[in-house]
Amino acid sequence: MVGGVLSFVPYIGSLTALVLALGVAIVEKWPDMHMFFYALGVVGTGQFLEGYVVSPKLVGESIGLHPVWLIFALFAFGDLFGFTGLLIAVPTAAAIGVIVRHLIRSYQRSPLFRGRRPAVGGP
C-alpha cells in the first residue's frame, strides 16, 4: 500500500514497493530464496505491464495518440533530453499529433487531393 500511495512520484513508489516486497520475502522465508525471486518477478511484471501496456493505453486514449507513438515519443525524448525529455514527451507528442491531424485534414480538403486543378490567374 505504501508503494501505491507513493506511485505518483516517478520511480519512488515502484522502488519502495520493490524494497518492501523483497524485504518481506527474505524475512518470511529465510534461508530459502524462492520467495525472493517470486517477489522480484511479481513486482517486475507489474512494473512492466504498468509502464508498457496500461499507462500508454490510458494516456494515449486521453490525448488521442496510439500507444506505440506514445512509447516512441518517450524513448526518443528520453534519449535526446534525458529525464527532462521524459517530462516533456507526452505534451509535445500530443501537440505534434494535433498539428499533423490538422495538416492532413487541410490537405484532404484541398483541390490537389480531390484531383481538381486550382484556378489559374487568381487575384
Side-chain angles (χ1 to χ4, degrees):
M1 287 180 58
V2 173
V5 169
L6 293 175
S7 67
F8 69 92
V9 181
Y11 302 110
I12 299 296
S14 58
L15 186 63
T16 302
L18 178 66
V19 168
L20 290 175
L22 295 180
V24 168
I26 289 173
V27 169
E28 287 291 321
K29 296 293 183 176
W30 184 260
D32 185 19
M33 295 298 285
H34 286 96
M35 208 47 122
F36 175 85
F37 293 112
Y38 289 149
L40 188 63
V42 166
V43 173
T45 302
Q47 288 302 306
F48 176 82
L49 291 174
E50 186 269 335
Y52 290 101
V53 177
V54 176
S55 287
K57 180 139 179 69
L58 293 177
V59 173
E61 286 178 359
S62 68
I63 62 172
L65 285 177
H66 192 275
V68 174
W69 283 110
L70 191 61
I71 291 172
F72 174 74
L74 289 170
F75 281 147
F77 279 79
D79 191 44
L80 291 173
F81 305 112
F83 183 72
T84 305
L86 292 175
L87 295 176
I88 65 170
V90 174
T92 305
I96 291 171
V98 168
I99 292 169
V100 167
R101 283 191 295 273
H102 173 72
L103 291 174
I104 289 171
R105 276 194 303 265
S106 295
Y107 170 68
Q108 288 174 339
R109 286 189 215 124
S110 72
L112 180 64
F113 179 77
R114 297 186 183 271
R116 288 181 265 158
R117 296 185 146 212
V120 180

